[in-house]
Amino acid sequence: MNDDTLSFGLQGLTCAGCVGRAEAALTALPGARDVRVNLADHSARISGVMPDAVVSALADAGYPADPAVARFEVPNMSCASCVARIETAARTVPGVTVARAQLPTRSMTVETLGAVDAISDALTAAGYPPKPVIADSQDAPDPARGLLHRFALAAILTLPVFVLEMGSHAIPGMHHWIARTIGMQTSHVIQLILT
């Protein structure tokens, strides 16, 4: 990957048409080359363009860039001059859109469309070797747990629809019982709401 290549996530991609519009917005930027938008992982790559121009063009096209957020501990940060040097070093890295150093916590938060490792290298070269902050495992969201919750909710909402619509195939007379008790129209409305 070239030094000026930006690789980042994109929001709002839902179809091949979205990919085409996002690619067209990026390709239209002066100096843009190697433009690729991937629907499968909602990502994009582009070379030869400043990050601010990319962010602006994609926002105008309706597909906002989704920058990576990196947090670092910077133990050598000891004064306001250090804060300025650290932020300047981070901003020289291609893709960095936001760099905020905080003296009281000796930490730094960076939003980037490029490689996070390059930020660490730039800070080390400036004399402020950082330590990446890894989120506490109890606070970090567990993607598998989130998928399990979504699956359980979908199963709970699907079961009544299945029973109302297909129950008469397994239990003779269920169709007539539903028609007598809640009525078929009410049954269909309940199924629509649950679906």
Side-chain angles (χ1 to χ4, degrees):
M1 184 160 58
N2 295 335
D3 288 342
D4 67 345
T5 299
L6 306 177
S7 183
F8 50 92
L10 278 181
Q11 300 174 26
L13 292 180
T14 57
C15 64
C18 295
V19 169
R21 287 186 289 277
E23 280 185 349
L26 292 173
T27 303
L29 293 171
R33 61 183 196 279
D34 301 327
V35 175
R36 292 188 201 130
V37 175
N38 188 329
L39 178 61
D41 64 358
H42 295 253
S43 69
R45 281 184 62 177
I46 186 171
S47 298
V49 182
M50 296 300 291
D52 295 342
V54 170
V55 170
S56 177
L58 289 171
D60 291 346
Y63 305 101
D66 193 11
V69 177
R71 291 180 181 80
F72 300 96
E73 285 181 26
V74 188
N76 294 350
M77 189 187 321
S78 59
C79 64
S81 294
C82 295
V83 169
R85 285 192 292 271
I86 289 167
E87 289 179 347
T88 300
R91 287 187 184 116
T92 63
V93 176
V96 172
T97 56
V98 175
R100 284 186 304 265
Q102 298 166 341
L103 182 57
T105 59
R106 293 184 179 178
S107 65
M108 176 169 212
T109 303
V110 178
E111 292 181 17
T112 183
L113 302 180
V116 173
D117 293 341
I119 298 164
S120 182
D121 294 344
L123 294 177
T124 301
Y128 299 94
K131 297 178 186 174
V133 175
I134 299 170
D136 185 7
S137 59
Q138 294 176 344
D139 297 336
D142 181 6
R145 183 173 297 216
L147 288 174
L148 181 62
H149 286 288
R150 289 169 58 186
F151 172 77
L153 178 62
I156 290 168
L157 295 175
T158 302
L159 183 62
V161 173
F162 183 78
V163 170
L164 286 171
E165 192 59 35
M166 303 302 291
S168 61
H169 295 287
I171 303 169
M174 185 167 184
H175 176 77
H176 298 293
W177 177 78
I178 291 172
R180 281 192 317 267
T181 55
I182 62 173
M184 293 311 294
Q185 185 172 358
T186 304
S187 172
H188 292 148
V189 169
I190 290 170
Q191 292 176 54
L192 176 67
I193 291 169
L194 290 173
T195 302

